[in-house]
Amino acid sequence: MNLQELVQTHTEGRSLREIAENSRGKLKADQLRRLANKPVAAFPTPETIRALARAFQIPHMTIILAVCETLDLAQENSMAAELRYWQSHAKHYKSQVENYRQQNEDLRRHFRNLTPVARDRPYLLVGTGHNREHLEQQDHEQPNPVGVGTNERSA
């Protein structure tokens, strides 16, 4: 089904103004009339696709497939297969992003809990250099027993 057929099918029995209002003001009745009567020459903007989907209460992919058929970009079967492929990839990437967000939140929670420790006892934080600096400071403060760590020999 091309875009003209889709628009004509979904406008039957309803006024163009009513459909335009369903798009939350993103489409005008004149635009719908043009889409129903004239084939599109270029791919519509994402806003237009969203508005049509909202106005007709159908999935975005239905409109995208209709536009592709109108513009003769691909055969319907191959386009549908490609869309399914990219949709599954999108789901995968969305789940990965959600996992990263959760890990990020876990790290933030961990560092929020670690902040008081870092403030009071920074030498406990391994790998930050605070541990080494604290041990060096303790070495300088404590007296060195005779013969330990020096070239002096005990008698």
Side-chain angles (χ1 to χ4, degrees), residues 26 32 47 51 64 71-72 75 78 90 95 125 129 148 151 155:
K26 299 290 183 183
L32 288 169
E47 285 181 357
I64 291 171
L71 297 175
D72 198 28
Q75 294 178 358
S78 66
S95 68
L125 300 178
V148 177
N151 288 334

Side-chain angles (χ1 to χ4, degrees), residues 91-107:
K91 287 177 187 175
H92 171 74
Y93 291 129
K94 283 180 183 178
S95 68
Q96 276 190 327
V97 166
E98 189 54 41
N99 287 340
Y100 289 137
R101 282 189 182 137
Q102 183 60 44
Q103 288 173 359
N104 194 10
E105 184 55 39
D106 291 344
L107 285 173

Side-chain angles (χ1 to χ4, degrees), residues 57-72:
Q57 298 174 353
I58 58 176
H60 298 91
M61 288 300 141
T62 305
I63 296 181
I64 291 171
L65 284 171
V67 171
C68 288
E69 185 174 328
T70 302
L71 297 175
D72 198 28

Side-chain angles (χ1 to χ4, degrees), residues 3-135:
L3 188 60
Q4 280 180 289
E5 294 168 349
L6 182 93
V7 172
Q8 289 169 358
T9 302
H10 285 86
T11 55
E12 287 179 3
R14 297 193 297 173
S15 74
L16 293 178
R17 281 182 201 245
E18 177 186 340
I19 295 170
E21 287 173 6
N22 286 345
S23 73
R24 298 182 190 155
K26 299 290 183 183
L27 291 175
K28 295 185 172 118
D30 291 338
Q31 284 177 297
L32 288 169
R33 191 173 293 108
R34 271 194 310 270
L35 289 172
N37 297 321
K38 281 178 63 177
V40 292
F43 214 87
T45 65
E47 285 181 357
T48 304
I49 292 172
R50 283 188 209 104
L52 285 169
R54 192 176 307 122
F56 296 142
Q57 298 174 353
I58 58 176
H60 298 91
M61 288 300 141
T62 305
I63 296 181
I64 291 171
L65 284 171
V67 171
C68 288
E69 185 174 328
T70 302
L71 297 175
D72 198 28
L73 293 176
Q75 294 178 358
E76 188 174 331
N77 293 338
S78 66
M79 181 58 78
E82 194 168 332
L83 283 172
R84 280 193 299 276
Y85 171 82
W86 287 112
Q87 284 175 333
S88 69
H89 271 47
K91 287 177 187 175
H92 171 74
Y93 291 129
K94 283 180 183 178
S95 68
Q96 276 190 327
V97 166
E98 189 54 41
N99 287 340
Y100 289 137
R101 282 189 182 137
Q102 183 60 44
Q103 288 173 359
N104 194 10
E105 184 55 39
D106 291 344
L107 285 173
R108 283 187 180 149
R109 193 175 314 111
H110 173 73
F111 283 112
R112 264 195 309 269
N113 294 337
L114 196 58
T115 299
V117 173
R119 203 176 16 241
D120 298 337
R121 297 172 285 180
Y123 54 88
L124 293 178
L125 300 178
V126 176
T128 62
H130 291 294
N131 189 4
R132 184 182 66 250
E133 291 169 12
H134 177 71
L135 292 175

Side-chain angles (χ1 to χ4, degrees), residues 133-146:
E133 291 169 12
H134 177 71
L135 292 175
E136 288 172 359
Q137 183 181 7
Q138 281 184 337
D139 285 344
H140 292 297
E141 291 175 0
Q142 295 178 356
N144 213 6
V146 176

